Amino acid sequence: MYKKGIFVATSFAVVTGLVTFFSGTTASKAADIDANKLYQTHCKTCHGADGKTTELGAGLGARDFTDPNWQAKATDEQIIKQINDGTPEKMMPFKEKLSQDEIKALLPVVRGFGKK
Ligand code: HEC
């Protein structure tokens, strides 16, 4: 239990470090929108910091963003729509919380988890 806690804390630190590293080097095109930060703030509780569904997310029925089958099937429109509208009792809608530009900026973040 104690050891597992350390492991989880360590892997979280590694992932956070990687995300910080990559967002610093690659994702600076959309000027003032930090999409990786938006993702880490609003999405990771269910979809995981690295796109791998958390226990909470899986319990609610969320798919793994790192799954190539899911990536191949999901269209950009579906992803944008899902973030806007959510699913009742599963995922809250974000259209009131985030701007359309922010929602669009999250698309490459979600897609990015599929590219390994
Ligand atoms: C409270 C947990 C929760 C949060 C927070 C959350 N989601 Fe979801 N999300 C889900 C669940 C559950 C589903 C599956 C919904 C369904 O089956 O219709 C889902 C579905 C999705 C899907 C469609 C793929 C799939 O798994 O079915 C996308 C894309 C998505 N979420 C993106 C996001 C983004 C981006 C954010 C942050 C802005 C976010 N979600 C925040 C729970 C969450």
Side-chain angles (χ1 to χ4, degrees), residues 38-47 53-54 56-65 70 74-75 78-80 82-83 86-92 94 98 103 106-107 109-110:
L38 284 177
Y39 181 88
Q40 299 304 328
T41 307
H42 299 289
C43 320
K44 82 164 179 210
T45 25
C46 297
H47 294 290
T53 324
T54 61
L56 175 66
L60 290 164
R63 258 77 69 190
D64 191 334
F65 293 153
W70 177 81
T75 65
Q78 280 168 352
I79 294 173
I80 299 279
Q82 178 68 30
I83 302 172
T87 308
E89 285 166 29
K90 290 172 179 254
M91 174 175 154
M92 64 293 261
F94 283 93
L98 302 174
I103 290 175
L106 281 165
L107 178 63
V109 178
V110 171

